Amino acid sequence: MKIAKAISSLVESFEKLPGIGPKSAQRLTYYLLHVPQRELDEFGKNLERLKKDTVLCNVCKNVAEYDPCSICSDNSRDKTTLLVVEQPLDVLAFERSGKFKGIYHVLHGAINPLENIGPDEIFVQPLLDRIMNDELRITEVIIATNPTMEGEATAMYLNKQIKNQKSKVKITRLGMGIPTGADLEYADDVTLTQAIEGRREI
Ligand SMILES: [Zn+2]
């Protein structure tokens, strides 16, 4: 049996998504055939707008509607404490916990030699530039990369780079509570709060 092109194309698109295998891709596609056309149009429009209507904040590199983002332009935030995370989803997790009132820096990845991802492939230099800029008066950098091998390697690298360039800033790493190998974005609010409160200087 020859499958309609429109169906096989959509199945292929779904298969490219993380965690979606061929079976799930088929199931989703055939499910959508039962959805009213106007909902599909809406879905398509949202997909189209996803990248067109978002920007990277030039300050923190988070994905946002405007540049600078709502956190960077919020004067009530503590601009002296900078929390470094791997992904925009990590920012969401910390914001959900409501316990962190400082500002962020999103690396968009972690150093991973096996995948050929070095410091230049992620936003390390913009981070160092921010920390070194005396006008910004950053006094503490909390490194909140994931407790995975890549996240730890990234934390060690950042620690070394920051210490090489500016010794005055306090560098801390999240405290216990986050299981080794886990992704921060899945940590619950209590765990994240404990991790921030239990941070230690490195
Ligand atoms: Zn920002």
Side-chain angles (χ1 to χ4, degrees):
M1 184 186 111
K2 193 169 170 357
I3 296 172
K5 186 85 182 79
I7 293 176
S8 58
S9 302
L10 189 58
V11 170
E12 276 172 34
S13 294
F14 275 127
E15 274 183 56
K16 289 183 183 146
L17 299 176
I20 307 278
K23 281 252 169 71
S24 301
Q26 271 181 356
R27 213 172 303 133
L28 287 169
T29 303
Y30 281 87
Y31 167 79
L32 288 175
L33 283 171
H34 296 290
V35 169
Q37 185 59 43
R38 61 184 158 71
E39 281 182 36
L40 289 186
D41 291 344
E42 181 77 18
F43 190 76
K45 229 187 293 163
N46 290 340
L47 208 53
E48 204 182 314
R49 273 202 302 246
L50 181 65
K51 286 191 83 164
K52 281 187 189 157
D53 290 358
T54 51
V55 288
L56 268 198
C57 170
N58 259 317
V59 182
C60 69
K61 309 297 177 194
N62 195 12
V63 182
E65 198 164 354
Y66 305 105
D67 175 26
C69 72
S70 58
I71 296 175
C72 288
S73 50
D74 181 351
N75 284 329
S76 71
R77 309 280 308 209
D78 168 17
K79 302 273 167 84
T80 65
T81 309
L82 183 65
L83 189 106
V84 183
V85 294
E86 289 182 24
Q87 300 294 349
L89 273 174
D90 301 328
V91 173
L92 279 189
F94 280 106
E95 286 299 291
R96 237 185 355 246
S97 82
K99 279 283 147 52
F100 181 68
K101 300 293 181 206
I103 49 173
Y104 297 94
H105 186 90
V106 185
L107 294 169
H108 288 266
I111 294 171
N112 186 347
L114 294 177
E115 303 269 340
N116 281 325
I117 299 171
D120 293 340
E121 273 69 49
I122 56 178
F123 289 113
V124 167
Q125 194 53 51
L127 169 66
L128 299 176
D129 291 344
R130 283 179 86 182
I131 296 168
M132 274 158 47
N133 186 341
D134 287 332
E135 280 174 25
L136 299 179
R137 293 194 173 83
I138 292 165
T139 54
E140 180 178 356
V141 176
I142 306 170
I143 303 179
T145 49
N146 288 330
T148 55
M149 251 166 66
E150 295 79 23
E152 291 299 342
T154 308
M156 268 162 56
Y157 179 84
L158 291 178
N159 186 29
K160 209 172 120 204
Q161 292 297 316
I162 298 166
K163 284 199 171 127
N164 276 349
Q165 300 186 27
K166 186 182 179 182
S167 54
K168 274 180 288 176
V169 65
K170 184 174 161 191
I171 308 167
T172 54
R173 182 95 174 97
L174 284 190
M176 297 300 284
I178 312 277
T180 305
D183 253 344
L184 278 189
E185 59 175 277
Y186 300 120
D188 61 75
D189 298 353
V190 177
T191 309
L192 280 185
T193 304
Q194 284 171 349
I196 294 178
E197 282 165 359
R199 66 186 185 269
R200 60 196 150 70
E201 203 158 344
I202 53 174

